[in-house]
Amino acid sequence: MGTKSNKLDELRDRQPFRVPEGYFERFSEDFMSRLPEKTMSESKPKDISLYDRVKPWLYMAAAFVGIIVLFNVFNKTAEITSQDGNNVTAKTSPLNNTSEADDNADFLEYIEDMYVDKYAISYIYDDFMDN
């Protein structure tokens, strides 16, 4: 164990990385020499046409128009099928709600008549009243 700690102490003072001599002094010169030469024609900004400027707005407007058209087409087909009565039921209105409530009450009475034993209910009721 003692020999390992001695070797670590020796390595602690040494720097493992070395930089070549004069590297930082000539760094900017070497870097600039590697860059390509820039000419005046390349530095001129590109002319942008009016169509290129308006193109994103046109695409967005076309998307909104497409969404509106699709909404109207699907809305019209739903109305046509509801008028035919084949695929979709008629649209509900406040007047239709009362008939639906009556239908629900009739259905519940039918279920009660079919599946509930009247004698069992009277027995439970009598037993409840006695207690």
Side-chain angles (χ1 to χ4, degrees):
M1 277 294 205
T3 58
K4 286 185 182 179
S5 65
N6 289 341
K7 288 183 181 180
L8 287 177
D9 290 335
E10 290 175 12
L11 294 176
R12 200 170 289 171
D13 295 334
R14 291 180 50 196
Q15 293 293 330
F17 302 107
R18 296 196 178 150
V19 177
E21 297 218 14
Y23 177 78
F24 290 109
E25 287 82 20
R26 59 178 190 242
F27 177 76
S28 61
E29 295 170 4
D30 290 341
F31 185 76
M32 293 304 282
S33 68
R34 292 180 188 173
L35 292 175
E37 292 295 324
K38 190 175 188 180
T39 61
M40 292 301 288
S41 63
E42 292 181 44
S43 65
K44 202 185 250 188
K46 196 176 189 182
D47 289 334
I48 299 173
S49 68
L50 180 63
Y51 176 71
D52 289 336
R53 289 182 185 171
V54 177
K55 194 179 349 180
W57 294 98
L58 288 174
Y59 290 157
M60 187 170 49
F64 281 120
V65 168
I67 290 170
I68 290 170
V69 167
L70 285 174
F71 177 74
N72 287 334
V73 166
F74 287 126
N75 194 17
K76 297 262 189 224
T77 57
E79 287 177 7
I80 290 170
T81 55
S82 68
Q83 290 173 358
D84 291 344
N86 294 336
N87 297 333
V88 180
T89 60
K91 293 182 179 178
T92 59
S93 67
L95 298 176
N96 290 341
N97 289 340
T98 57
S99 65
E100 288 177 13
D102 293 339
D103 290 341
N104 288 339
D106 292 340
F107 179 71
L108 289 175
E109 286 179 24
Y110 171 75
I111 295 293
E112 187 176 324
D113 290 340
M114 292 297 293
Y115 295 107
V116 176
D117 186 13
K118 293 186 187 228
Y119 297 112
I121 290 177
S122 64
Y123 175 76
I124 293 171
Y125 181 73
D126 291 340
D127 191 43
F128 179 72
M129 292 305 280
D130 290 340
N131 290 333

